[in-house]
Amino acid sequence: MAEMTLTEVMAELAELEDPKARAVNERHGDDHGVNLGKLRALAKRLRTQQPLARELWRTGDTAARLLALLVCRPKAFERDELDAMLREARTPKVHDWLVNYAVKKNPHAEELRLAWLADPDPVVASAGWALTAERVVKSPAGLDPAGLLDVIEAELKDAPDRLQWAMNTCLAQIGIEHPAHRARAVAVGERLEVLKDYPVSPGCTSPFAPVWIAEMVRRRDGSQAL
């Protein structure tokens, strides 16, 4: 398709605004009313456009920023640019998509992971822990699982919600991916009881680390036995 201007894209986003979708999204802290399926369809039509992605991000509009992350070229962002974007991304969906769709695919991801882990802002730190959980699964060489468990054990219980969720994910992934540390990861989860009573839909796995670890190991062992 022919390239659309920022004004044209913003007009189309306005047309996609749905009050019912906004009400649902706002319950999760996201201030936009665009159905994500329709947003992805628009992104598919636009294809990758890094200049447009930057323009969309600068609007500050949540739906526009989500669209920006769908049409961006992740490797084109500079390190300081991503750092600034994360600090601006205060809604959960924008924060999550930025980390997963842009930062994880960027050559500065490891440098940012280390910087964000040490950041005093818990929302920024949560991105560091999300990237660490990713490394636990995909590239654990050089990580110190025992040291990570030390920090998790000391800080998880009283961490703010978003940081707690990311640290808990890292705890579970250590238990799932590293048998030598599994017993301790389970023990930490059982003692702290973080997310133990978190409601889950039928058929979904609890985010409570001991249950999560046990279920994922069971599935893996079962598939290997076939």
Side-chain angles (χ1 to χ4, degrees), residues 3-64:
E3 290 191 0
M4 295 172 64
T5 66
L6 175 64
T7 300
E8 291 169 335
V9 174
M10 294 302 293
E12 185 155 348
L13 286 174
E15 291 176 0
L16 293 175
E17 175 75 19
D18 180 350
K20 292 182 180 179
R22 177 173 286 275
V24 172
N25 291 330
E26 286 182 343
R27 288 200 292 271
H28 297 92
D30 293 310
D31 56 347
H32 75 93
V34 179
N35 175 277
L36 294 182
K38 294 180 179 179
L39 192 73
R40 291 182 186 279
L42 174 57
K44 186 175 181 180
R45 284 166 41 215
L46 291 170
R47 301 183 181 179
T48 301
Q49 297 188 45
Q50 183 68 7
L52 177 61
R54 286 192 166 104
E55 287 185 308
L56 287 165
W57 184 271
R58 285 195 292 267
T59 67
D61 178 80
T62 293

Short mmCIF file of all heavy atoms in Angstrom, two decimals, residues 3-64:
data_model
loop_
_atom_site.label_atom_id
_atom_site.label_comp_id
_atom_site.label_asym_id
_atom_site.label_seq_id
_atom_site.Cartn_x
_atom_site.Cartn_y
_atom_site.Cartn_z
N GLU A 3 2.38 4.69 1.29
CA GLU A 3 2.68 5.11 2.65
C GLU A 3 1.67 6.15 3.12
O GLU A 3 1.29 7.05 2.37
CB GLU A 3 4.10 5.66 2.75
CG GLU A 3 5.16 4.59 2.60
CD GLU A 3 6.54 5.10 2.97
OE1 GLU A 3 6.66 6.29 3.34
OE2 GLU A 3 7.50 4.32 2.86
N MET A 4 1.24 6.01 4.39
CA MET A 4 0.30 6.94 4.97
C MET A 4 1.05 7.96 5.81
O MET A 4 2.09 7.65 6.40
CB MET A 4 -0.72 6.20 5.84
CG MET A 4 -1.61 5.24 5.07
SD MET A 4 -2.63 4.20 6.17
CE MET A 4 -3.66 5.43 6.98
N THR A 5 0.53 9.15 5.90
CA THR A 5 1.12 10.17 6.75
C THR A 5 0.72 9.92 8.19
O THR A 5 -0.24 9.17 8.48
CB THR A 5 0.66 11.57 6.34
OG1 THR A 5 -0.76 11.68 6.60
CG2 THR A 5 0.94 11.83 4.86
N LEU A 6 1.41 10.56 9.10
CA LEU A 6 1.05 10.44 10.51
C LEU A 6 -0.38 10.89 10.74
O LEU A 6 -1.14 10.23 11.47
CB LEU A 6 2.01 11.30 11.36
CG LEU A 6 1.67 11.37 12.86
CD1 LEU A 6 1.79 10.00 13.51
CD2 LEU A 6 2.58 12.38 13.56
N THR A 7 -0.78 11.97 10.10
CA THR A 7 -2.15 12.48 10.28
C THR A 7 -3.17 11.44 9.82
O THR A 7 -4.19 11.21 10.49
CB THR A 7 -2.34 13.78 9.48
OG1 THR A 7 -1.42 14.76 9.96
CG2 THR A 7 -3.76 14.31 9.63
N GLU A 8 -2.90 10.78 8.71
CA GLU A 8 -3.82 9.77 8.20
C GLU A 8 -3.89 8.56 9.13
O GLU A 8 -4.98 8.00 9.37
CB GLU A 8 -3.39 9.32 6.80
CG GLU A 8 -3.57 10.40 5.73
CD GLU A 8 -2.91 10.06 4.41
OE1 GLU A 8 -1.94 9.26 4.42
OE2 GLU A 8 -3.35 10.58 3.37
N VAL A 9 -2.76 8.15 9.66
CA VAL A 9 -2.75 7.01 10.57
C VAL A 9 -3.48 7.34 11.85
O VAL A 9 -4.27 6.53 12.37
CB VAL A 9 -1.30 6.57 10.87
CG1 VAL A 9 -1.29 5.47 11.93
CG2 VAL A 9 -0.62 6.08 9.61
N MET A 10 -3.25 8.53 12.39
CA MET A 10 -3.94 8.92 13.63
C MET A 10 -5.45 9.00 13.41
O MET A 10 -6.23 8.65 14.30
CB MET A 10 -3.39 10.25 14.12
CG MET A 10 -1.93 10.21 14.58
SD MET A 10 -1.61 9.01 15.91
CE MET A 10 -2.54 9.76 17.27
N ALA A 11 -5.86 9.44 12.22
CA ALA A 11 -7.29 9.50 11.91
C ALA A 11 -7.89 8.10 11.87
O ALA A 11 -9.01 7.87 12.36
CB ALA A 11 -7.51 10.21 10.57
N GLU A 12 -7.14 7.15 11.31
CA GLU A 12 -7.64 5.77 11.26
C GLU A 12 -7.71 5.17 12.67
O GLU A 12 -8.65 4.44 13.00
CB GLU A 12 -6.76 4.92 10.35
CG GLU A 12 -7.31 3.52 10.16
CD GLU A 12 -6.87 2.86 8.87
OE1 GLU A 12 -6.32 3.55 7.99
OE2 GLU A 12 -7.09 1.64 8.75
N LEU A 13 -6.73 5.47 13.50
CA LEU A 13 -6.77 5.00 14.89
C LEU A 13 -7.99 5.57 15.61
O LEU A 13 -8.64 4.87 16.41
CB LEU A 13 -5.49 5.39 15.63
CG LEU A 13 -4.23 4.61 15.28
CD1 LEU A 13 -3.02 5.22 15.99
CD2 LEU A 13 -4.38 3.14 15.66
N ALA A 14 -8.31 6.82 15.35
CA ALA A 14 -9.48 7.44 15.97
C ALA A 14 -10.76 6.74 15.54
O ALA A 14 -11.69 6.55 16.35
CB ALA A 14 -9.53 8.93 15.61
N GLU A 15 -10.80 6.30 14.29
CA GLU A 15 -11.97 5.59 13.79
C GLU A 15 -12.11 4.22 14.44
O GLU A 15 -13.23 3.68 14.55
CB GLU A 15 -11.89 5.44 12.27
CG GLU A 15 -12.05 6.75 11.51
CD GLU A 15 -11.87 6.57 10.02
OE1 GLU A 15 -11.64 5.42 9.58
OE2 GLU A 15 -11.98 7.58 9.28
N LEU A 16 -11.00 3.63 14.85
CA LEU A 16 -11.02 2.31 15.47
C LEU A 16 -11.36 2.36 16.96
O LEU A 16 -11.56 1.31 17.57
CB LEU A 16 -9.65 1.63 15.29
CG LEU A 16 -9.27 1.25 13.86
CD1 LEU A 16 -7.84 0.70 13.83
CD2 LEU A 16 -10.24 0.22 13.29
N GLU A 17 -11.42 3.55 17.51
CA GLU A 17 -11.71 3.71 18.94
C GLU A 17 -13.06 3.10 19.28
O GLU A 17 -14.08 3.38 18.65
CB GLU A 17 -11.69 5.19 19.32
CG GLU A 17 -12.08 5.50 20.74
CD GLU A 17 -11.00 5.16 21.77
OE1 GLU A 17 -9.84 5.03 21.37
OE2 GLU A 17 -11.34 5.03 22.96
N ASP A 18 -13.07 2.24 20.31
CA ASP A 18 -14.29 1.54 20.75
C ASP A 18 -14.44 1.75 22.26
O ASP A 18 -13.58 1.30 23.03
CB ASP A 18 -14.15 0.06 20.43
CG ASP A 18 -15.36 -0.76 20.85
OD1 ASP A 18 -16.24 -0.23 21.56
OD2 ASP A 18 -15.43 -1.95 20.49
N PRO A 19 -15.49 2.41 22.71
CA PRO A 19 -15.67 2.67 24.14
C PRO A 19 -15.66 1.40 24.99
O PRO A 19 -15.15 1.40 26.12
CB PRO A 19 -17.03 3.37 24.21
CG PRO A 19 -17.21 3.99 22.86
CD PRO A 19 -16.56 3.03 21.90
N LYS A 20 -16.20 0.31 24.45
CA LYS A 20 -16.21 -0.94 25.22
C LYS A 20 -14.80 -1.49 25.38
O LYS A 20 -14.43 -1.97 26.46
CB LYS A 20 -17.11 -1.97 24.53
CG LYS A 20 -18.59 -1.62 24.55
CD LYS A 20 -19.43 -2.71 23.89
CE LYS A 20 -20.90 -2.35 23.93
NZ LYS A 20 -21.75 -3.39 23.26
N ALA A 21 -14.01 -1.41 24.31
CA ALA A 21 -12.63 -1.86 24.39
C ALA A 21 -11.85 -0.99 25.36
O ALA A 21 -11.01 -1.48 26.13
CB ALA A 21 -11.98 -1.84 23.01
N ARG A 22 -12.11 0.32 25.35
CA ARG A 22 -11.43 1.21 26.28
C ARG A 22 -11.76 0.86 27.73
O ARG A 22 -10.86 0.84 28.58
CB ARG A 22 -11.80 2.67 26.00
CG ARG A 22 -11.17 3.65 26.99
CD ARG A 22 -11.41 5.09 26.57
NE ARG A 22 -10.59 5.47 25.43
CZ ARG A 22 -9.35 5.92 25.53
NH1 ARG A 22 -8.76 6.02 26.72
NH2 ARG A 22 -8.68 6.26 24.45
N ALA A 23 -13.01 0.55 28.00
CA ALA A 23 -13.39 0.21 29.37
C ALA A 23 -12.65 -1.03 29.85
O ALA A 23 -12.18 -1.09 31.00
CB ALA A 23 -14.91 -0.01 29.44
N VAL A 24 -12.52 -2.03 28.97
CA VAL A 24 -11.80 -3.26 29.33
C VAL A 24 -10.32 -2.95 29.54
O VAL A 24 -9.71 -3.39 30.52
CB VAL A 24 -11.97 -4.33 28.23
CG1 VAL A 24 -11.05 -5.53 28.49
CG2 VAL A 24 -13.42 -4.78 28.16
N ASN A 25 -9.75 -2.20 28.61
CA ASN A 25 -8.32 -1.89 28.71
C ASN A 25 -7.99 -1.06 29.94
O ASN A 25 -6.95 -1.27 30.58
CB ASN A 25 -7.85 -1.16 27.45
CG ASN A 25 -7.85 -2.05 26.22
OD1 ASN A 25 -7.65 -3.25 26.31
ND2 ASN A 25 -8.08 -1.46 25.05
N GLU A 26 -8.86 -0.12 30.27
CA GLU A 26 -8.59 0.75 31.41
C GLU A 26 -8.60 -0.03 32.72
O GLU A 26 -7.92 0.36 33.67
CB GLU A 26 -9.59 1.90 31.45
CG GLU A 26 -9.31 2.95 30.38
CD GLU A 26 -10.26 4.13 30.42
OE1 GLU A 26 -11.34 4.00 31.06
OE2 GLU A 26 -9.94 5.17 29.82
N ARG A 27 -9.33 -1.12 32.76
CA ARG A 27 -9.29 -1.96 33.97
C ARG A 27 -7.92 -2.58 34.17
O ARG A 27 -7.57 -3.00 35.28
CB ARG A 27 -10.38 -3.05 33.89
CG ARG A 27 -11.78 -2.53 34.07
CD ARG A 27 -12.74 -3.63 34.48
NE ARG A 27 -12.95 -4.61 33.43
CZ ARG A 27 -13.91 -4.50 32.50
NH1 ARG A 27 -14.72 -3.45 32.48
NH2 ARG A 27 -14.05 -5.44 31.57
N HIS A 28 -7.14 -2.66 33.09
CA HIS A 28 -5.78 -3.22 33.18
C HIS A 28 -4.71 -2.13 33.12
O HIS A 28 -3.53 -2.42 32.94
CB HIS A 28 -5.56 -4.21 32.03
CG HIS A 28 -6.47 -5.40 32.09
ND1 HIS A 28 -7.68 -5.44 31.44
CD2 HIS A 28 -6.35 -6.59 32.75
CE1 HIS A 28 -8.27 -6.61 31.67
NE2 HIS A 28 -7.50 -7.32 32.46
N GLY A 29 -5.15 -0.87 33.25
CA GLY A 29 -4.20 0.22 33.29
C GLY A 29 -3.79 0.77 31.95
O GLY A 29 -2.86 1.58 31.87
N ASP A 30 -4.47 0.36 30.87
CA ASP A 30 -4.10 0.80 29.52
C ASP A 30 -5.15 1.78 28.99
O ASP A 30 -6.31 1.42 28.83
CB ASP A 30 -3.99 -0.40 28.57
CG ASP A 30 -2.82 -1.30 28.94
OD1 ASP A 30 -1.71 -0.77 29.11
OD2 ASP A 30 -3.02 -2.52 29.07
N ASP A 31 -4.72 3.00 28.69
CA ASP A 31 -5.67 4.06 28.32
C ASP A 31 -5.84 4.17 26.81
O ASP A 31 -5.47 5.17 26.19
CB ASP A 31 -5.21 5.40 28.91
CG ASP A 31 -3.79 5.78 28.49
OD1 ASP A 31 -3.08 4.90 27.95
OD2 ASP A 31 -3.41 6.94 28.68
N HIS A 32 -6.40 3.13 26.22
CA HIS A 32 -6.74 3.19 24.79
C HIS A 32 -7.95 2.31 24.52
O HIS A 32 -8.28 1.43 25.32
CB HIS A 32 -5.56 2.74 23.92
CG HIS A 32 -5.34 1.26 23.90
ND1 HIS A 32 -5.89 0.44 22.94
CD2 HIS A 32 -4.65 0.45 24.74
CE1 HIS A 32 -5.54 -0.82 23.17
NE2 HIS A 32 -4.78 -0.84 24.26
N GLY A 33 -8.61 2.56 23.38
CA GLY A 33 -9.83 1.82 23.08
C GLY A 33 -9.79 1.13 21.73
O GLY A 33 -10.83 0.97 21.09
N VAL A 34 -8.61 0.73 21.29
CA VAL A 34 -8.47 0.07 19.99
C VAL A 34 -8.29 -1.43 20.18
O VAL A 34 -7.42 -1.86 20.93
CB VAL A 34 -7.28 0.64 19.19
CG1 VAL A 34 -7.14 -0.08 17.85
CG2 VAL A 34 -7.45 2.14 18.98
N ASN A 35 -9.13 -2.20 19.53
CA ASN A 35 -9.00 -3.65 19.56
C ASN A 35 -7.64 -4.05 19.00
O ASN A 35 -7.23 -3.58 17.93
CB ASN A 35 -10.12 -4.27 18.71
CG ASN A 35 -10.01 -5.76 18.58
OD1 ASN A 35 -9.26 -6.25 17.73
ND2 ASN A 35 -10.74 -6.48 19.40
N LEU A 36 -6.93 -4.92 19.73
CA LEU A 36 -5.56 -5.24 19.33
C LEU A 36 -5.50 -6.02 18.01
O LEU A 36 -4.53 -5.91 17.27
CB LEU A 36 -4.86 -6.02 20.44
CG LEU A 36 -4.63 -5.22 21.74
CD1 LEU A 36 -3.89 -6.07 22.76
CD2 LEU A 36 -3.87 -3.93 21.47
N GLY A 37 -6.52 -6.79 17.73
CA GLY A 37 -6.57 -7.49 16.44
C GLY A 37 -6.65 -6.49 15.29
O GLY A 37 -5.97 -6.66 14.27
N LYS A 38 -7.47 -5.46 15.45
CA LYS A 38 -7.58 -4.43 14.41
C LYS A 38 -6.30 -3.61 14.33
O LYS A 38 -5.90 -3.17 13.25
CB LYS A 38 -8.78 -3.54 14.70
CG LYS A 38 -10.11 -4.29 14.57
CD LYS A 38 -11.30 -3.38 14.86
CE LYS A 38 -12.61 -4.15 14.70
NZ LYS A 38 -13.79 -3.29 14.99
N LEU A 39 -5.65 -3.40 15.47
CA LEU A 39 -4.38 -2.67 15.47
C LEU A 39 -3.32 -3.45 14.71
O LEU A 39 -2.56 -2.88 13.91
CB LEU A 39 -3.93 -2.43 16.91
CG LEU A 39 -2.77 -1.45 17.10
CD1 LEU A 39 -3.25 -0.02 16.87
CD2 LEU A 39 -2.17 -1.58 18.49
N ARG A 40 -3.29 -4.75 14.91
CA ARG A 40 -2.31 -5.59 14.19
C ARG A 40 -2.62 -5.63 12.69
O ARG A 40 -1.71 -5.69 11.86
CB ARG A 40 -2.31 -7.00 14.78
CG ARG A 40 -1.73 -7.08 16.18
CD ARG A 40 -1.71 -8.52 16.69
NE ARG A 40 -1.29 -8.60 18.08
CZ ARG A 40 -0.02 -8.58 18.48
NH1 ARG A 40 0.95 -8.48 17.59
NH2 ARG A 40 0.27 -8.67 19.77
N ALA A 41 -3.89 -5.61 12.35
CA ALA A 41 -4.26 -5.60 10.93
C ALA A 41 -3.79 -4.31 10.27
O ALA A 41 -3.30 -4.33 9.12
CB ALA A 41 -5.77 -5.76 10.78
N LEU A 42 -3.93 -3.19 10.97
CA LEU A 42 -3.44 -1.91 10.44
C LEU A 42 -1.92 -1.96 10.28
O LEU A 42 -1.38 -1.51 9.26
CB LEU A 42 -3.85 -0.77 11.37
CG LEU A 42 -3.29 0.61 11.05
CD1 LEU A 42 -3.67 1.04 9.63
CD2 LEU A 42 -3.82 1.63 12.07
N ALA A 43 -1.23 -2.51 11.27
CA ALA A 43 0.23 -2.62 11.20
C ALA A 43 0.66 -3.49 10.02
O ALA A 43 1.66 -3.19 9.35
CB ALA A 43 0.77 -3.21 12.50
N LYS A 44 -0.09 -4.53 9.75
CA LYS A 44 0.24 -5.41 8.62
C LYS A 44 0.13 -4.65 7.31
O LYS A 44 0.94 -4.85 6.40
CB LYS A 44 -0.69 -6.62 8.63
CG LYS A 44 -0.34 -7.67 7.59
CD LYS A 44 -1.22 -8.91 7.73
CE LYS A 44 -0.85 -9.97 6.72
NZ LYS A 44 -1.71 -11.19 6.86
N ARG A 45 -0.86 -3.78 7.20
CA ARG A 45 -1.01 -2.97 6.00
C ARG A 45 0.12 -1.95 5.86
O ARG A 45 0.62 -1.71 4.77
CB ARG A 45 -2.36 -2.25 6.01
CG ARG A 45 -3.54 -3.17 5.69
CD ARG A 45 -4.87 -2.50 6.04
NE ARG A 45 -4.87 -1.09 5.67
CZ ARG A 45 -5.49 -0.13 6.35
NH1 ARG A 45 -6.14 -0.44 7.47
NH2 ARG A 45 -5.45 1.11 5.94
N LEU A 46 0.51 -1.37 6.98
CA LEU A 46 1.55 -0.35 6.95
C LEU A 46 2.94 -0.94 6.70
O LEU A 46 3.80 -0.30 6.11
CB LEU A 46 1.56 0.43 8.27
CG LEU A 46 0.36 1.32 8.55
CD1 LEU A 46 0.41 1.82 9.98
CD2 LEU A 46 0.32 2.49 7.58
N ARG A 47 3.15 -2.15 7.20
CA ARG A 47 4.46 -2.81 7.14
C ARG A 47 5.49 -2.01 7.94
O ARG A 47 5.17 -1.09 8.66
CB ARG A 47 4.89 -3.04 5.70
CG ARG A 47 3.90 -3.89 4.90
CD ARG A 47 4.40 -4.16 3.50
NE ARG A 47 3.43 -4.97 2.75
CZ ARG A 47 3.61 -5.34 1.49
NH1 ARG A 47 4.71 -4.99 0.84
NH2 ARG A 47 2.69 -6.08 0.89
N THR A 48 6.75 -2.41 7.83
CA THR A 48 7.80 -1.78 8.62
C THR A 48 8.10 -0.38 8.09
O THR A 48 8.40 -0.21 6.91
CB THR A 48 9.09 -2.63 8.57
OG1 THR A 48 8.80 -3.93 9.09
CG2 THR A 48 10.18 -1.97 9.40
N GLN A 49 8.01 0.60 8.99
CA GLN A 49 8.29 1.99 8.64
C GLN A 49 8.92 2.67 9.86
O GLN A 49 8.20 3.21 10.70
CB GLN A 49 7.03 2.74 8.21
CG GLN A 49 6.35 2.21 6.95
CD GLN A 49 5.24 3.14 6.50
OE1 GLN A 49 5.39 4.35 6.45
NE2 GLN A 49 4.09 2.56 6.19
N GLN A 50 10.22 2.65 9.96
CA GLN A 50 10.88 3.21 11.14
C GLN A 50 10.62 4.71 11.33
O GLN A 50 10.34 5.14 12.45
CB GLN A 50 12.38 2.91 11.08
CG GLN A 50 13.15 3.38 12.31
CD GLN A 50 12.81 2.60 13.56
OE1 GLN A 50 12.09 1.61 13.51
NE2 GLN A 50 13.33 3.04 14.69
N PRO A 51 10.68 5.53 10.29
CA PRO A 51 10.37 6.96 10.51
C PRO A 51 8.96 7.17 11.05
O PRO A 51 8.75 7.99 11.94
CB PRO A 51 10.54 7.57 9.11
CG PRO A 51 11.51 6.65 8.42
CD PRO A 51 11.13 5.27 8.92
N LEU A 52 7.99 6.44 10.50
CA LEU A 52 6.61 6.56 10.99
C LEU A 52 6.53 6.06 12.43
O LEU A 52 5.81 6.65 13.25
CB LEU A 52 5.67 5.76 10.10
CG LEU A 52 4.20 5.73 10.55
CD1 LEU A 52 3.60 7.13 10.57
CD2 LEU A 52 3.37 4.81 9.65
N ALA A 53 7.24 5.00 12.74
CA ALA A 53 7.22 4.48 14.10
C ALA A 53 7.67 5.54 15.10
O ALA A 53 7.06 5.72 16.16
CB ALA A 53 8.11 3.24 14.21
N ARG A 54 8.73 6.25 14.75
CA ARG A 54 9.21 7.31 15.64
C ARG A 54 8.18 8.44 15.77
O ARG A 54 7.98 8.99 16.86
CB ARG A 54 10.55 7.85 15.14
CG ARG A 54 11.72 6.90 15.37
CD ARG A 54 13.05 7.61 15.13
NE ARG A 54 14.16 6.82 15.67
CZ ARG A 54 15.00 6.11 14.93
NH1 ARG A 54 14.82 6.06 13.62
NH2 ARG A 54 15.98 5.44 15.48
N GLU A 55 7.53 8.79 14.66
CA GLU A 55 6.49 9.83 14.71
C GLU A 55 5.32 9.39 15.59
O GLU A 55 4.80 10.18 16.40
CB GLU A 55 5.99 10.14 13.30
CG GLU A 55 6.96 10.91 12.44
CD GLU A 55 6.34 11.28 11.10
OE1 GLU A 55 5.80 10.38 10.41
OE2 GLU A 55 6.37 12.46 10.75
N LEU A 56 4.90 8.15 15.43
CA LEU A 56 3.79 7.64 16.24
C LEU A 56 4.15 7.65 17.71
O LEU A 56 3.33 8.01 18.56
CB LEU A 56 3.44 6.22 15.79
CG LEU A 56 2.72 6.09 14.44
CD1 LEU A 56 2.76 4.65 13.94
CD2 LEU A 56 1.27 6.56 14.57
N TRP A 57 5.38 7.25 18.02
CA TRP A 57 5.78 7.22 19.43
C TRP A 57 5.74 8.63 20.03
O TRP A 57 5.29 8.82 21.17
CB TRP A 57 7.18 6.63 19.57
CG TRP A 57 7.59 6.50 21.02
CD1 TRP A 57 8.22 7.45 21.78
CD2 TRP A 57 7.32 5.39 21.87
NE1 TRP A 57 8.37 6.99 23.06
CE2 TRP A 57 7.83 5.73 23.14
CE3 TRP A 57 6.71 4.16 21.68
CZ2 TRP A 57 7.75 4.86 24.23
CZ3 TRP A 57 6.64 3.28 22.75
CH2 TRP A 57 7.14 3.65 24.01
N ARG A 58 6.20 9.61 19.29
CA ARG A 58 6.29 10.97 19.82
C ARG A 58 4.92 11.58 20.10
O ARG A 58 4.84 12.58 20.84
CB ARG A 58 7.07 11.86 18.84
CG ARG A 58 8.58 11.61 18.87
CD ARG A 58 9.34 12.74 18.18
NE ARG A 58 9.10 12.78 16.75
CZ ARG A 58 9.88 12.17 15.86
NH1 ARG A 58 10.93 11.47 16.24
NH2 ARG A 58 9.60 12.27 14.57
N THR A 59 3.85 11.02 19.56
CA THR A 59 2.52 11.56 19.86
C THR A 59 2.15 11.38 21.33
O THR A 59 1.33 12.12 21.87
CB THR A 59 1.42 10.89 19.01
OG1 THR A 59 1.29 9.50 19.40
CG2 THR A 59 1.73 10.99 17.52
N GLY A 60 2.73 10.37 21.98
CA GLY A 60 2.38 10.08 23.36
C GLY A 60 1.08 9.31 23.51
O GLY A 60 0.72 8.90 24.63
N ASP A 61 0.38 9.10 22.44
CA ASP A 61 -0.89 8.36 22.46
C ASP A 61 -0.61 6.86 22.60
O ASP A 61 0.23 6.31 21.90
CB ASP A 61 -1.66 8.64 21.17
CG ASP A 61 -2.96 7.89 21.08
OD1 ASP A 61 -3.95 8.34 21.70
OD2 ASP A 61 -2.99 6.84 20.42
N THR A 62 -1.34 6.20 23.50
CA THR A 62 -1.05 4.79 23.78
C THR A 62 -1.27 3.90 22.56
O THR A 62 -0.43 3.07 22.23
CB THR A 62 -1.89 4.30 24.96
OG1 THR A 62 -1.44 4.97 26.15
CG2 THR A 62 -1.74 2.80 25.16
N ALA A 63 -2.41 4.05 21.87
CA ALA A 63 -2.66 3.22 20.68
C ALA A 63 -1.60 3.49 19.62
O ALA A 63 -1.13 2.57 18.94
CB ALA A 63 -4.05 3.49 20.13
N ALA A 64 -1.21 4.75 19.45
CA ALA A 64 -0.19 5.09 18.47
C ALA A 64 1.15 4.47 18.83
O ALA A 64 1.90 4.01 17.96
CB ALA A 64 -0.07 6.61 18.35
#
